[in-house]
Amino acid sequence: AFDFVGVAAFGWKLGLVLALLGGHLGATIAFFIARYFRESAVKHFVPLQKLHEFEGKYSERQKFWTLVAVRFITSPFFDYVSYAAGLTKMSYTAFIASTFLGVLPFSFVIYYFGEMIFNNGLLYAAFFFIGIGILSVLFSKLLLKKVL
């Protein structure tokens, strides 16, 4: 819902940039809260046992691409993923890069086609939902195969 307000207020280009900046700022804050306060603060949001198993099982490269896939697939759980990542040994640079790669495709489709919907009507709404569906199927399968 906020993305459509961003499209209406700022247009697709500036709206996309502002949404990405805001999302990454929030993700960064959650990441560093977890880094600073560790398990005592994050145990309420993240299953720590599973996180520790994951941490020991995969290489840094696999963790990076897993985070890209999780970001892409689980947008509603954006903050939980940021807290969990803050508890791992992943560098902040890898965290923010994987967050960007995972968030950009959906955000681009939402903002680009969102503006078309506002300017041109319902036909573009169909393209929007088809685009979201195609991105979801293709990227989730591709990324999960690459990771697993």
Side-chain angles (χ1 to χ4, degrees):
F2 290 116
D3 290 323
F4 290 116
V5 172
V7 169
F10 303 109
W12 83 268
K13 291 175 187 171
L14 180 58
L16 175 63
V17 169
L18 293 174
L20 290 173
L21 288 173
H24 284 73
L25 178 62
T28 295
I29 290 169
F31 180 85
F32 283 113
I33 285 173
R35 277 282 155 95
Y36 182 75
F37 293 108
R38 304 300 304 164
E39 281 90 353
S40 62
V42 180
K43 68 183 176 187
H44 305 287
F45 308 117
V46 177
L48 296 177
Q49 171 98 14
K50 290 185 181 193
L51 180 66
H52 292 305
E53 290 172 10
F54 172 81
E55 177 78 14
K57 221 187 249 190
Y58 297 103
S59 70
E60 292 302 312
R61 183 172 189 246
Q62 289 172 311
K63 289 176 201 172
F64 176 87
W65 287 109
T66 299
L67 187 56
V68 171
V70 169
R71 285 281 190 217
F72 189 80
I73 297 166
T74 61
S75 187
F77 305 107
F78 193 85
D79 290 335
Y80 297 113
V81 173
S82 298
Y83 286 114
L87 292 177
T88 68
K89 295 175 184 169
M90 174 181 275
S91 71
Y92 174 71
T93 304
F95 166 75
I96 207 70
S98 62
T99 297
F100 181 76
L101 287 174
V103 171
L104 183 62
F106 265 132
S107 297
F108 176 80
V109 169
I110 288 169
Y111 279 82
Y112 184 76
F113 284 107
E115 185 169 289
M116 286 184 173
I117 291 168
F118 282 119
N119 293 335
N120 301 314
L122 293 177
L123 176 62
Y124 288 92
F127 290 128
F128 169 77
F129 289 111
I130 290 169
I132 290 288
I134 290 170
L135 279 174
S136 296
V137 171
L138 291 177
F139 280 106
S140 62
K141 285 184 179 183
L142 178 72
L143 289 173
L144 288 176
K145 279 184 183 180
K146 183 174 183 113
V147 170
L148 302 175

